[in-house]
Amino acid sequence: MKLRTAIGFVLAAPMLAFGQTADQHSQPPPQFTDYRIPLERAALPRESAFQYVDLALLALMLLLTAWIVLTRRSRKELRIVSIFAVAYFGFYRLGCVCAIGSIQNVTFGLTHSSYRLPLTVAGFFVLPLLAALFFGRVFCGGVCPMGAMQDLVLIRSMKVPAGLKAILETVPYIYLGAAILFATTGTAFVICEYDPFVGMFRLHGHFWMIVFGGVVVALSMVIGRPYCRFLCPYSVLLKWCSHFARHSVSVTPDGCIQCHLCANACPFDSIEAPQVVPANRQQSRRQVANMLAFAPVLTLALAAIGWRMSPVVASWDLRVHRARVLHQAQLNPSAPKTALAEAWDRHRHTAQEAYQEAAAVEKEFEVGVPLLGAWIGIVISLKSLSYLRRKVSTDYVANAGSCVSCARCYSVCPVPFRTYGLPSLPIIPSSPVEDREPVGGAA
Amino acid sequence: MLRDSVRLCGLAGGAFALGGLATRSQAAETVWQIDPEKCTECGLCASACVLDPTAVKCVHAYAQCGYCKLCFGLFRDKRTGNTTSAENVRCPTDAISRTFIEDPYYQIAVDENRCIGCALCVKGCHQFGNGSMYLQIRHDRCANCNQCAIANVCPADAVVRVPSDKPYMLKRPKS
């Protein structure tokens, strides 16, 4: 079995004529009397067996977080898990592979048959979603190093005004759509390129990455998890899954006394106050009808804008950019050559080839950007409709979609539990048979 | 009831996706590597990598080396000023050393811990020598990012995905 540090050696073969391009031999290889030509060193990649370690750790930590959040109901223990997540998945594994970025690999794998999705990446994409189907967003609560990082630095959360929050909450959907578009065209993996934390985990990154990371961390001290709530594209998928969760966070299993303490304690505004049926049902019906009529108009308008914008968006692609640079160089031969044009010429490619390549990419963008526009329209419409929808509830409940399982609300609830005063014992929730199952699974 | 069926579908779909995606393509798993035939020694490898120092290092193909007495990757003299001639392509970190073998041949070695992947020696060796010096991504350092940050900026599209069981694109004399 190969080890990571193993060194592969390659046989040195006698010199023969090499490629024609840049490697003419100006010096003939010498004839030595008593000297053996040494071999090159070629260190091997990280042993692939380690990817199973990563996957196993991910699965184990998901189960452990689910157990701590749903059965132990302990913020203290969850904090230990988060610190481990930041240390291992963040600083040791340098923030890669991560579930958020895996969206792009999955998209790229589906649209490019030459790329094989690595098993680890597939696992990092699927396992947190499966966990969300059963236990809610436990991935966010304790396993995701980015979420953990923001959660650990949080001092006191300010409440984001409802209107601003509603606008900011659509950003993850738009970001998800953009990430899928750019991964499909093969332009860039934008989530990774503009990740605020990866520069921190690697203690190195380009200037704006570090600035962005610093801003997000600074904001996290006063606003709960700004990246998770207002940017993270993976949170969209997790939200969809956690709405169907079998077990999710229940603030008090013993009956709510409507004291509002849990809603105050939640730094992420995820606990919804009791709601009654609105008095003016006619008005709200009219609002819904207006919104339903407005939605197709908005969607089509944004798709049209997308269609107009597609050449601009396409110019972010290196291949399209290169074709335009080469075209400029053809129009203006006296101008100094850019590195792009020089590299293209050096490989004896013609400008025509670059144009063809760019035309194919531009065609993809002509379809993709209007679709992205339509997606944004649909998101805005559905989000607005969801705010108009009035749910009837009598208790304070954690919103299944936006609750990140941080376990902060448990300890502030004044309703005495059966195990009150004995925090070392696992607390038995109201449906003991169902909830005890994951205990055995995780232990 | 709805929730249970959604969960069941999700479970089946997830398992299917996990298995299917991982085995769908015939292509092998990949790592990033620099194609030395495409590289134009622009120097971005030194700064664009997410690691510091970069995972890109100079590799010396001994079998292709001319064992020059005056190595243009190594060359140091007392002249100053940025001109395009040989003194501008010397190694800025003293990573390259030479040892005497027999007159007039010197063996060149690259100290990887000092190399910053700036490609100045590669440029010098290509312009004046045999092109035995070239850049490769070192897999004991590379984090194998989702999308290589150097690939994003490489003007020559030289950073490519290669099968992980053949992780290097070493210069070989063509037979």
Side-chain angles (χ1 to χ4, degrees):
Chain A
M1 197 169 126
K2 295 174 266 176
L3 285 168
R4 184 189 174 186
T5 47
I7 292 170
F9 285 104
V10 228
L11 279 176
M15 283 299 305
L16 284 165
F18 203 72
Q20 293 294 308
T21 47
D23 291 332
Q24 291 102 357
H25 295 144
S26 51
Q27 302 293 324
Q31 300 294 319
F32 294 113
T33 48
D34 182 29
Y35 167 75
R36 276 191 60 193
I37 292 175
L39 311 162
E40 295 149 1
R41 196 181 81 93
L44 294 168
R46 189 170 180 262
E47 177 58 43
S48 60
F50 278 99
Q51 71 180 14
Y52 297 105
V53 175
D54 286 351
L55 274 182
L57 256 176
L58 173 70
L60 198 76
M61 285 180 68
L62 285 169
L63 288 173
L64 186 68
T65 310
W67 179 58
I68 289 174
V69 170
L70 301 175
T71 311
R72 303 274 307 164
R73 298 169 69 92
S74 163
R75 170 78 197 147
K76 210 187 251 174
E77 290 165 25
L78 187 66
R79 199 177 289 136
I80 296 167
V81 177
S82 327
I83 291 170
F84 178 77
V86 173
Y88 184 79
F89 290 118
F91 287 99
Y92 176 68
R93 295 290 294 118
L94 302 175
C96 215
V97 53
C98 93
I100 306 172
S102 72
I103 299 168
Q104 304 158 117
N105 295 63
V106 170
T107 313
F108 193 75
L110 287 171
T111 48
H112 296 74
S113 57
S114 62
Y115 173 68
R116 167 156 160 201
L117 190 69
L119 184 69
T120 357
V121 181
F124 268 74
F125 179 72
V126 173
L127 288 180
L129 295 178
L130 286 183
L133 275 179
F134 283 85
F135 314 114
R137 290 170 65 176
V138 286
F139 175 72
C140 309
V143 190
C144 176
M146 308 187 183
M149 184 104 168
Q150 295 168 81
D151 215 321
L152 291 172
V153 299
L154 176 65
I155 300 165
R156 192 193 161 88
S157 185
M158 282 190 315
K159 207 172 149 73
V160 181
L164 183 65
K165 188 180 161 220
I167 294 168
L168 288 176
E169 273 179 351
T170 56
V171 176
Y173 293 85
I174 298 168
Y175 199 7
L176 175 71
I180 289 175
L181 170 67
F182 288 120
T184 308
T185 57
T187 301
F189 280 17
V190 279
I191 302 174
C192 304
E193 226 172 307
Y194 301 103
D195 186 317
F197 295 103
V198 92
M200 230 160 268
F201 293 146
R202 290 164 177 172
L203 308 172
H204 178 249
H206 58 79
F207 179 72
W208 291 111
M209 184 186 253
I210 300 293
V211 169
F212 184 34
V215 168
V216 172
V217 169
L219 276 178
S220 321
M221 294 180 190
V222 289
I223 298 172
R225 294 185 179 234
Y227 184 84
C228 306
R229 286 157 76 199
F230 307 129
L231 269 176
C232 178
Y234 195 64
S235 76
V236 174
L237 309 179
L238 285 168
K239 267 180 197 170
W240 289 343
C241 288
S242 61
H243 275 298
F244 300 101
R246 188 184 178 92
H247 314 276
S248 45
V249 167
S250 55
V251 184
T252 165
D254 285 10
C256 177
I257 59 164
Q258 321 257 326
C259 67
H260 202 280
L261 284 176
C262 56
N264 284 348
C266 180
F268 315 118
D269 244 348
S270 298
I271 294 178
E272 290 169 348
Q275 285 175 337
V276 287
V277 191
N280 195 345
R281 295 188 76 170
Q282 201 150 24
Q283 192 201 344
S284 71
R285 269 205 206 106
R286 201 166 53 235
Q287 280 174 328
V288 171
N290 284 347
M291 199 58 233
L292 282 175
F294 180 58
V297 180
L298 180 73
T299 305
L300 282 175
L302 284 172
I305 292 173
W307 187 71
R308 295 281 296 179
M309 289 277 288
S310 85
V312 181
V313 181
S315 68
W316 296 341
D317 190 287
L318 184 74
R319 293 159 291 182
V320 177
H321 178 64
R322 171 163 49 215
R324 290 178 189 175
V325 165
L326 288 173
H327 186 63
Q328 281 300 316
Q330 255 184 357
L331 293 178
N332 187 10
S334 58
K337 263 190 178 178
T338 60
L340 265 180
E342 205 158 290
W344 193 254
D345 285 355
R346 191 159 151 177
H347 301 131
R348 312 227 170 123
H349 291 306
T350 61
Q352 210 57 45
E353 284 173 276
Y355 299 158
Q356 279 168 5
E357 190 187 45
V361 178
E362 277 179 323
K363 205 163 272 174
E364 283 177 25
F365 273 99
E366 267 166 31
V367 181
V369 185
L371 281 178
L372 177 63
W375 165 247
I376 295 172
I378 291 168
V379 165
I380 293 174
S381 315
L382 288 181
K383 268 274 160 194
S384 315
L385 277 175
S386 80
Y387 288 116
L388 290 175
R389 196 177 61 144
R390 293 286 161 94
K391 282 176 287 184
V392 182
S393 61
T394 53
D395 291 343
Y396 281 88
V397 280
N399 182 299
S402 61
C403 172
V404 293
S405 324
C406 74
R408 278 191 180 87
C409 50
Y410 299 144
S411 59
V412 298
C413 183
V415 177
F417 296 113
R418 264 166 279 181
T419 50
Y420 191 74
L422 290 169
S424 57
L425 285 177
I427 289 160
I428 301 157
S430 56
S431 52
V433 183
E434 271 190 357
D435 276 357
R436 228 184 289 170
E437 278 169 357
V439 182
Chain B
M1 197 59 219
L2 171 76
R3 286 181 171 212
D4 281 333
S5 42
V6 167
R7 206 173 306 119
L8 203 70
C9 290
L11 197 64
F16 180 77
L18 193 70
L21 280 170
T23 53
R24 195 180 81 97
S25 162
Q26 292 299 306
E29 278 187 21
T30 55
V31 289
W32 295 98
Q33 194 48 273
I34 297 168
D35 186 346
E37 298 283 319
K38 287 184 180 173
C39 173
T40 53
E41 308 113 25
C42 67
L44 282 174
C45 286
S47 55
C49 181
V50 295
L51 300 177
D52 185 26
T54 171
V56 175
K57 300 288 166 190
C58 173
V59 171
H60 182 52
Y62 292 97
Q64 195 165 334
C65 180
Y67 288 80
C68 311
K69 190 174 181 180
L70 184 66
C71 172
F72 291 96
L74 165 78
F75 186 62
R76 268 182 293 174
D77 68 5
K78 297 283 185 268
R79 280 175 288 176
T80 53
N82 283 347
T83 63
T84 50
S85 56
E87 71 267 21
N88 206 28
V89 292
R90 62 202 166 187
C91 178
T93 57
D94 268 353
I96 302 171
S97 57
R98 59 173 200 181
T99 44
F100 176 73
I101 297 171
E102 60 184 61
D103 197 49
Y105 301 129
Y106 286 82
Q107 180 187 299
I108 306 299
V110 182
D111 180 356
E112 231 170 64
N113 291 322
R114 285 187 172 186
C115 177
I116 55 163
C118 67
L120 287 181
C121 61
V122 181
K123 199 166 207 162
C125 189
H126 268 241
Q127 283 172 350
F128 307 106
N130 283 1
S132 65
M133 287 174 161
Y134 58 103
L135 297 178
Q136 288 283 280
I137 292 171
R138 282 307 192 185
H139 291 298
D140 48 351
R141 297 171 188 269
C142 176
N144 200 19
C145 299
N146 265 354
Q147 170 71 26
C148 175
I150 308 170
N152 283 341
V153 294
C154 176
D157 292 338
V159 183
V160 290
R161 286 192 171 94
V162 297
S164 57
D165 53 344
K166 274 188 184 168
Y168 287 91
M169 299 182 85
L170 295 174
K171 279 195 170 183
R172 285 282 148 268
K174 281 174 187 151
S175 50

